Amino acid sequence: MGGAVSAGEDNDELIDNLKEAQYIRTELVEQAFRAIDRADYYLEEFKDNAYKDLAWKHGNIHLSAPCIYSEVMEALDLQPGLSFLNLGSGTGYLSSMVGLILGPFGVNHGVELHSDVIEYAKQKLDFFIRTSDSFDKFEFCEPSFVTGNCLEISPDCTQYDRVYCGAGVQKEHEDYMKSLLKVGGILVMPLEEKLTKITRTGPSAWETKKILAVSFAPLIQPSHSDSGKSRLVQLPPLAVRSLQDLARIAIRGTIKKIIHQETMSKSGNGLKNPPRFKRRRVRRRRMETIVFLDKEVFASRISNPSDDNNNCEDVEEERREEEEKNVPEMKPDPPVNFLREKVLSLPLPDPLKYYLLYYREK
């Protein structure tokens, strides 16, 4: 599934292509896609294909095509503070992008059938938190993953604002999926070969919209234990943040506001340097005069006093162009993590600084 847009040279170019093709349509979704490099969720030997609009599967590890994730993210209509349930959470790529939008007061849960994929997702999540330049630009709702079959979720579980299922759902399981949704919530899933958006408008009222044709592997039916009973999946409890954690969120938010105000103040203190345009070189040619005398033609060149000056200017212009070509291309400076710099400059004990930075490596 995929191939709807051209491949990119890197993550940003892939996102540009998805925007141009109208798969990514909102700023929030674009920011989330740019913040998390799709290649980071590939095994090293397969990263050459990361920026193609194609699904990828290796063993139990699976990623849908970028155009599919784009449509899913747009259809979910995510907002800060919502609760999200990802059924078939896989590598955690989608859950991590969702977490950037939900913010620190959202809920971000995933259910995955294969325990080895859960471990893979946790490794990728840890790598993102420790090393990504994007992490400090957001307040992140970290996903929590549990192992189990998403068709065996305990009936007494909480309902969610947003639900996504990453495997093909048959008509017989549609009502089960709807039961996981709060009133006013949105469910997105592949239902009978169509990516479908279902909005719960009331206790027993629904609006259904078909988004596009898709091809997903079907949900795996539950396998019963020796006793004949199914193994109920217990979703993570709704955690209450500690006062210490709330303080960290508040301090980071205040520092970000200060950085933003300082940046706006600096940029407003005068006009930026105007862009430099390359001067167009005009070739000057000597004027030639053709004289008709009787039936004979004589061509003569009328000397121009400025000819010598023009020749000098041409030579000088050519010399400057050669010099410009020989100047090595300047690489852009690496991005500066202003939040990190500001935190490290605070008159605080080092352990507190590292706590504010989530013990990140860079």
Side-chain angles (χ1 to χ4, degrees):
M1 191 68 204
V5 301
S6 302
E9 290 294 324
D10 55 25
N11 195 66
D12 279 328
E13 189 172 327
L14 173 62
I15 308 313
D16 291 341
N17 294 340
L18 291 167
K19 279 189 65 182
E20 186 178 356
Q22 288 293 299
Y23 284 100
I24 293 177
R25 300 178 289 277
T26 58
E27 185 178 353
L28 273 178
V29 171
E30 179 186 351
Q31 289 174 350
F33 268 87
R34 292 195 189 278
I36 298 183
D37 195 321
R38 181 176 167 89
D40 290 341
Y41 288 78
Y42 274 66
L43 292 169
E44 194 64 37
E45 60 268 34
F46 298 103
K47 286 191 175 184
D48 288 345
N49 295 320
Y51 306 123
K52 297 177 181 177
D53 187 32
L54 297 172
W56 172 65
K57 192 176 191 305
H58 181 77
N60 292 326
I61 303 171
H62 176 264
L63 280 167
S64 293
C67 67
I68 300 297
Y69 284 134
S70 304
E71 288 288 4
V72 170
M73 291 280 285
E74 293 287 358
L76 285 170
D77 190 21
L78 297 160
Q79 304 294 332
L82 295 181
S83 56
F84 172 66
L85 177 62
N86 189 354
L87 304 174
S89 51
T91 64
Y93 172 63
L94 178 67
S95 292
S96 293
M97 287 196 293
V98 169
L100 296 175
I101 298 176
L102 297 183
F105 304 113
V107 175
N108 194 355
H109 293 164
V111 180
E112 170 57 43
L113 182 63
H114 304 287
S115 58
D116 60 324
V117 179
I118 290 276
E119 288 306 312
Y120 185 85
K122 289 179 177 178
Q123 291 171 15
K124 296 302 179 183
L125 175 62
D126 180 64
F127 180 79
F128 169 71
I129 292 174
R130 286 189 297 104
T131 67
S132 174
D133 291 329
S134 300
F135 180 83
D136 284 330
K137 298 176 183 177
F138 300 82
E139 291 303 325
F140 187 47
C141 181
E142 185 174 333
S144 299
F145 305 113
V146 296
T147 307
N149 190 307
C150 66
L151 293 174
E152 297 181 300
I153 293 175
S154 176
D156 60 355
C157 79
T158 185
Q159 293 177 316
Y160 291 79
D161 297 303
R162 301 289 186 268
V163 178
Y164 171 65
C165 181
V169 179
Q170 298 305 310
K171 194 69 176 176
E172 63 192 270
H173 295 129
E174 181 180 354
D175 288 341
Y176 168 84
M177 294 293 176
K178 289 178 176 178
S179 71
L180 302 171
L181 202 60
K182 291 180 180 179
V183 173
I186 295 173
L187 164 66
V188 178
M189 61 181 175
L191 181 64
E192 297 185 313
E193 304 298 313
K194 294 285 193 301
L195 189 64
T196 305
K197 175 181 178 179
I198 298 176
T199 305
R200 188 170 191 174
T201 57
S204 56
W206 313 85
E207 289 181 358
T208 301
K209 178 185 177 182
K210 305 291 185 182
I211 301 173
L212 77 164
V214 292
S215 178
F216 277 66
L219 283 170
I220 295 177
Q221 299 301 308
S223 59
H224 296 283
S225 62
D226 295 337
S227 62
K229 295 181 180 180
S230 60
R231 307 176 185 87
L232 292 181
V233 176
Q234 300 295 331
L235 293 173
L238 298 180
V240 178
R241 289 188 178 272
S242 67
L243 183 59
Q244 181 176 331
D245 196 13
L246 291 172
R248 172 167 61 181
I249 293 168
I251 292 170
R252 285 169 61 93
T254 300
I255 294 174
K256 286 181 181 180
K257 287 180 182 177
I258 293 172
I259 293 171
H260 178 70
Q261 290 169 357
E262 290 176 349
T263 303
M264 294 299 292
S265 176
K266 289 178 182 178
S267 63
N269 285 340
L271 295 175
K272 295 181 178 179
N273 292 331
R276 294 180 63 187
F277 296 98
K278 190 173 181 180
R279 189 161 63 94
R280 184 184 173 193
R281 183 154 61 101
V282 179
R283 293 282 187 185
R284 298 179 176 85
R285 295 181 179 177
R286 294 184 177 89
M287 188 190 331
E288 293 183 348
T289 303
I290 301 176
V291 181
F292 292 89
L293 185 60
D294 292 333
K295 292 184 180 179
E296 297 184 23
V297 178
F298 296 90
S300 65
R301 177 166 292 164
I302 300 175
S303 64
N304 190 326
S306 64
D307 278 351
D308 292 339
N309 290 336
N310 289 342
N311 284 338
C312 293
E313 287 182 9
D314 284 349
V315 171
E316 180 66 20
E317 191 72 39
E318 289 174 357
R319 184 185 65 78
R320 279 199 295 265
E321 284 188 354
E322 285 299 320
E323 287 178 354
E324 288 176 2
K325 289 180 183 178
N326 294 330
V327 173
E329 185 178 350
M330 299 294 291
K331 293 183 179 179
D333 293 331
V336 178
N337 188 330
F338 293 105
L339 177 66
R340 184 179 183 86
E341 287 190 350
K342 187 71 81 172
V343 169
L344 292 176
S345 68
L346 294 174
L348 298 172
D350 285 347
L352 184 51
K353 293 179 183 179
Y354 298 139
Y355 177 76
L356 289 173
L357 295 171
Y358 288 87
Y359 305 102
R360 285 163 43 75
E361 293 178 356
K362 65 175 184 177

